[in-house]
Amino acid sequence: ANLLYYLKMSKELKNTYIATVQEYENFNYGIISHQGEWIVEPKFQYLVKFGYKDYFKFRKNNFYGIIDSSNEIIIKPQYDDINFLNGNFEVSINGRKGLINANEDSLIEIKYESIKYKNELDFYIIKVDDKYGIIKSNFKVAIDAIYDNLSDVDKKGFIRANLNGKTGVIDSDGQCLIDFSFQEIRNFDDEGFAIAKNNDLFGFIDRAGKWLIYPIYNHVYDFNKNGNCCVNINSVYGVINRKGNWVIQPEFNDCSIYNEEYYNVRLNGR
């Protein structure tokens, strides 16, 4: 005999439930209405609302596919996994990922270790053989997977990149905006300052990669809204402004911003 084992309300489709039926030692999933009538017969090993239209992700014979609420198969069960990504479907086979649409047309070849969509500039960062590149929203490769890392796309289209142990900045077309000559580059703030590191010391650069404040500090923090930041030089802390001038002389064992006007400092254990 069949035993109705589990019910979960499908919020996106009113008055419908994802239901689990136990038959002997097996569990099968389907969809029922609030009257208890089967909309989708319980024939799947796994079934969950997909969060897109009226689609459901299912598993059958250990492969994943997509159906809609009328039991029409949208994507045949032939993938190791399926996830929704920017209006399309990221699919996996043998540890490799690609992108298809609802017609099962291939948009991005199934050969990548990861595919991450960056909404800021509408492109995908892809990874293959531990290297990173970029595919544009037209699904054409814009930058081959040659970089050790790509991260932190900002509103001006600056992408931090790592290559052969050095950090630089590129745009989504692969144009080099800041040479790969830095040990580290962090995010640019609203005034166009970014913390950068060379020869194990920190300073600040502009969006052209020129030093605004030369790297003479052992450690630096971001600027606050008043344009000041705590820095460490020769193992003592003080506060500088955006011109690199001392606002508070370096004499403390530690320093951090308390708010826009005050700082937490430590001296001789106090």
Side-chain angles (χ1 to χ4, degrees), residues 6-250:
Y6 177 75
L7 284 174
K8 182 178 180 181
M9 185 82 177
S10 177
K11 294 180 180 179
E12 295 84 353
L13 299 172
K14 293 183 179 179
N15 299 324
T16 63
Y17 300 81
I18 296 175
T20 305
V21 170
Q22 181 181 10
E23 183 176 9
Y24 302 108
E25 295 182 355
N26 298 319
F27 293 90
N28 291 311
Y29 293 77
I31 301 174
I32 62 173
S33 68
H34 72 290
Q35 291 96 351
E37 297 174 347
W38 288 107
I39 300 171
V40 176
E41 292 290 328
K43 58 183 178 180
F44 302 114
Q45 298 167 320
Y46 170 92
L47 185 68
V48 66
K49 184 70 178 69
F50 204 61
Y52 178 69
K53 295 185 177 181
D54 64 342
Y55 290 167
F56 293 80
K57 176 179 175 179
F58 71 90
R59 185 173 73 238
K60 190 172 185 179
N61 298 325
N62 294 320
F63 290 103
Y64 288 92
I66 301 292
I67 61 168
D68 63 17
S69 59
S70 63
N71 202 19
E72 180 180 353
I73 291 180
I74 306 301
I75 296 176
K76 294 184 288 293
Q78 56 185 344
Y79 301 103
D80 297 330
D81 199 7
I82 301 176
N83 291 290
F84 182 68
L85 183 62
N86 189 35
N88 293 297
F89 303 95
E90 179 193 78
V91 294
S92 302
I93 296 178
N94 296 327
R96 297 289 175 167
K97 300 178 185 295
L99 199 68
I100 64 174
N101 60 21
N103 295 321
E104 297 194 70
D105 299 320
S106 176
L107 304 176
I108 296 177
E109 187 178 354
I110 304 173
K111 69 175 187 178
Y112 298 103
E113 294 165 31
S114 67
I115 302 172
K116 295 181 179 179
Y117 178 66
K118 293 292 185 178
N119 184 63
E120 302 92 335
L121 293 173
D122 191 24
F123 63 73
Y124 302 85
I125 292 180
I126 48 92
K127 178 184 179 183
V128 61
D129 298 330
D130 287 328
K131 298 291 184 180
Y132 295 82
I134 288 177
I135 291 178
K136 289 291 192 72
S137 58
N138 61 1
F139 309 113
K140 301 295 184 182
V141 175
I143 301 174
D144 290 326
I146 61 172
Y147 293 101
D148 300 317
N149 196 23
L150 295 174
S151 61
D152 292 323
V153 180
D154 70 14
K155 59 187 177 182
K156 291 186 179 292
F158 279 47
I159 306 167
R160 287 190 304 174
N162 297 94
L163 184 65
N164 299 325
K166 292 291 186 178
T167 301
V169 175
I170 63 173
D171 64 17
S172 61
D173 293 317
Q175 180 180 352
C176 184
L177 304 178
I178 296 178
D179 290 339
F180 288 81
S181 58
F182 297 90
Q183 286 178 277
E184 183 180 345
I185 299 174
R186 300 182 191 171
N187 294 339
F188 285 92
D189 64 20
D190 292 339
E191 300 295 325
F193 283 64
I195 296 171
K197 181 181 181 182
N198 249 357
N199 298 321
D200 294 325
L201 294 173
F202 293 91
F204 291 85
I205 61 171
D206 64 13
R207 287 186 176 274
K210 296 181 179 179
W211 290 107
L212 296 168
I213 298 176
Y214 284 101
I216 61 173
Y217 304 102
N218 303 110
H219 184 69
V220 296
Y221 290 86
D222 293 322
F223 286 105
N224 65 9
K225 291 182 180 179
N226 290 337
N228 298 327
C229 74
C230 298
V231 298
N232 177 295
I233 185 169
N234 298 326
S235 300
V236 289
Y237 283 85
V239 177
I240 63 171
N241 60 24
R242 288 188 183 273
K243 293 182 179 180
N245 297 326
W246 291 108
V247 177
I248 299 174
Q249 291 295 320

